[in-house]
Amino acid sequence: MGLFSNLILRRFKGVAPRYEEIVRAYKEFLLTEEEFAIPKIERIMIPLDRYSEHPNETVLEYLSSYPGAQILILYVIDGEVCRLIRETIGEREAELFRKRELERGHNMLKQAEKLISEIRGGFSIQSKLKTGNKAEVVEGIVDNFELIIISRHYGAETTKTHPVSPIVLRILQNVKIPVLLY
């Protein structure tokens, strides 16, 4: 045996019984063999709205882990706000609001598509613009996806006391697939 082997054996002498004791004591907190495996993700949804931030560096780096994935970038206009504007101020103002939101949505979708397409990964990127209840729209189409990447500001402004918007919290509680917050 060489010098290094002797050093390693001396350094870790008596560790094996202690290791098994630690594994038994903390088995509820340690990952199982199945949990160590990285799930294969082929379809990813990225919902955006007027409050959302663009996908940041971390999100783009994470996306690069799934080359060839199908990505849906979805911009959702709040249908309830459109209805309230129509009922309180009038049809003309509601149409003006809707037009501005459509323009904002198209711009955000283009920017997000550009950011994601700059990553090398051969992604299939699709973008959609929808109007409706922001949580219901996401929850309605989530069955076709394996991962949601969502801004913690999606659906509403956040505060220091509430760092995640209530709509994002609702989505987290109602979907059964992994959600990545940024």
Side-chain angles (χ1 to χ4, degrees), residues 115-126:
L115 283 172
I116 294 170
S117 64
E118 289 174 355
I119 308 169
R120 291 184 198 153
F123 299 109
S124 166
I125 303 171
Q126 182 183 13

Side-chain angles (χ1 to χ4, degrees), residues 7-138:
L7 286 173
I8 290 171
L9 286 176
R10 190 167 33 171
R11 172 76 175 118
F12 294 104
K13 182 180 173 186
V15 169
R18 218 171 126 219
Y19 175 76
E20 290 177 11
E21 179 183 315
I22 291 170
V23 168
R24 262 187 268 119
Y26 294 98
K27 73 179 181 184
E28 295 171 7
F29 303 105
L30 299 175
L31 296 176
T32 62
E33 291 293 325
E34 295 84 30
E35 292 169 333
F36 268 121
I38 297 173
K40 186 171 183 168
I41 293 177
E42 295 176 340
R43 292 171 290 172
I44 301 168
M45 177 170 50
I46 304 174
L48 299 172
D49 72 343
R50 65 177 11 235
Y51 303 106
S52 299
E53 300 165 330
H54 290 286
N56 58 26
E57 286 283 324
T58 306
V59 170
L60 298 176
E61 191 173 308
Y62 188 80
L63 283 174
S64 68
S65 304
Y66 300 103
Q70 296 175 357
I71 299 173
L72 172 65
I73 308 168
L74 178 68
Y75 187 90
V76 183
I77 299 171
D78 196 335
E80 184 66 20
V81 172
C82 291
R83 185 187 64 79
L84 286 172
I85 291 174
R86 185 178 312 112
E87 289 178 3
T88 56
I89 302 174
E91 185 65 39
R92 185 172 166 253
E93 294 299 322
E95 189 58 35
L96 192 62
F97 173 79
R98 190 174 167 279
K99 187 177 173 183
R100 285 187 193 143
E101 278 293 304
L102 283 171
E103 191 176 310
R104 181 191 307 248
H106 286 296
N107 288 337
M108 283 190 79
L109 289 173
K110 279 182 187 173
Q111 289 175 353
E113 275 184 45
K114 184 180 174 205
L115 283 172
I116 294 170
S117 64
E118 289 174 355
I119 308 169
R120 291 184 198 153
F123 299 109
S124 166
I125 303 171
Q126 182 183 13
S127 58
K128 284 186 179 176
L129 208 143
K130 290 193 171 212
T131 302
N133 181 304
K134 293 179 180 185
E136 288 176 2
V137 168
V138 170

